[in-house]
Amino acid sequence: MIRRHHRPDGPAGNWLLDALPDADYDRLRPHLREMPLARGRVLFESGEPVRNIYFPTRGLLSLVLMARDGNEVEVAAVGPEGALDVAAVLRCDKTMCRAVVQIAGAAYWLSATTLQKELHSGGAMQALLNCYLQFLLLQSFQTTLCNRLHNVEARLARWLLTTSDRAQLDQLPLTQEFISHMLGTRRASVTEACATLAQEGLIEHVRGCITILDGRGLEAKACECYAAICNELQIVYGQRHPLSEE
Ligand SMILES: [Zn+2]
């Protein structure tokens, strides 16, 4: 399990960096660089040489695959619980998908070369990244099942909840156009599903911003994939269900 601990002088926020033992963190610290993540920024495209690994501390990024006709779909999301691109961890030469900032925030980054040295040092980073890979794979497998088997309304509810949990925001600055790309579905279907959830008082949707008004109600609407992802977060990170304390 990935256990975070408070490090008074550390880059609090990224769950993997926060879980490093002090000696490992001190070794990496001179190499960590901070950067803002502006909304819409593309950190890398699919198939690019792997140069860096990024550890988000705030905000959320989508890992996106694009079809030849330009249509794209989110295959996973990465927030402060993770790192990207995992190609750097797996020692691949090329990135596996496009990474775009969905919700603005910040990240620390390391060069892929520095990461490789750290992975060879016998420190805790390899084990932490392996745990994260477990979570990332589950998330991606669940997304595949979800996109194939569950209806748009349930998928939208699941997607809004996971996005809100990860970004730790109830107000999500997201357009329906963007959500339709992430869910891999038609914009008209997303508009209809948003309208239904709004009519039931679960969300409020005002030009480019969706506010979650009733998390528990939205959870009742979401497909089983939301509970599956929360469960995996609990197994890997010891993270309590985001709505359990309400
Ligand atoms: Zn689902």
Side-chain angles (χ1 to χ4, degrees):
M1 189 187 284
I2 298 174
R3 291 189 187 281
R4 289 179 280 161
H5 58 271
H6 179 63
R7 184 179 288 117
D9 58 341
N14 180 272
W15 300 7
L16 300 172
L17 295 179
D18 287 349
L20 281 173
D22 287 343
D24 295 28
Y25 172 66
D26 289 344
R27 193 165 54 240
L28 277 180
R29 187 174 180 169
H31 305 284
L32 284 169
R33 300 281 180 270
E34 195 172 9
M35 64 186 282
L37 296 175
R39 185 180 169 193
R41 177 172 180 175
V42 175
L43 281 191
F44 48 80
E45 295 284 356
S46 180
E48 281 185 357
V50 176
R51 297 184 184 92
N52 304 313
I53 182 161
Y54 302 89
F55 298 90
T57 54
R58 288 182 289 110
L60 197 70
L61 294 107
S62 285
L63 299 180
V64 173
L65 276 185
M66 192 180 286
R68 262 191 226 165
D69 64 4
N71 280 320
E72 55 185 15
V73 65
E74 180 184 75
V75 292
V78 185
E81 84 292 346
L84 67 170
D85 186 13
V86 292
V89 183
L90 299 170
R91 300 175 175 83
C92 302
D93 296 335
K94 303 270 173 78
T95 53
M96 298 176 182
C97 43
R98 181 178 206 231
V100 57
V101 179
Q102 187 186 113
I103 293 175
Y108 283 90
W109 63 272
L110 282 175
S111 72
T113 313
T114 304
L115 177 71
Q116 288 309 321
K117 282 185 192 153
E118 182 59 26
L119 295 180
H120 282 110
S121 73
M125 182 64 95
Q126 181 76 66
L128 289 170
L129 286 168
N130 286 350
C131 282
Y132 171 61
L133 278 171
Q134 175 189 334
F135 174 67
L136 186 73
L137 275 177
L138 181 278
Q139 191 192 163
S140 182
F141 293 169
Q142 200 74 42
T143 301
T144 306
L145 177 148
C146 194
N147 287 347
R148 175 70 183 84
L149 297 180
H150 296 152
N151 70 46
V152 174
E153 200 175 293
R155 280 161 56 199
L156 175 63
R158 182 270 299 171
W159 191 85
L160 290 172
L161 285 168
T162 48
T163 301
S164 160
D165 292 347
R166 215 65 65 70
Q168 297 179 348
L169 293 171
D170 285 331
Q171 280 196 323
L172 304 171
L174 301 164
T175 63
Q176 291 184 0
E177 177 82 24
F178 180 82
I179 295 171
S180 71
H181 286 307
M182 294 305 99
L183 293 179
T185 195
R186 292 182 309 120
R187 163 129 186 229
S189 307
V190 171
T191 303
E192 203 175 306
C194 273
T196 306
L197 296 179
Q199 274 165 16
E200 294 181 16
L202 305 178
I203 63 169
E204 183 180 58
H205 182 229
V206 180
R207 195 180 283 275
C209 185
I210 292 180
T211 305
I212 296 178
L213 302 174
D214 178 358
R216 285 209 174 281
L218 200 57
E219 186 181 12
K221 282 277 174 186
C223 54
E224 69 205 48
C225 302
Y226 178 59
I229 290 172
C230 287
N231 187 46
E232 191 69 10
L233 268 173
Q234 184 157 22
I235 291 169
V236 175
Y237 294 95
Q239 171 89 346
R240 293 182 62 164
H241 187 299
L243 300 173
S244 65
E245 290 172 349
E246 284 185 12

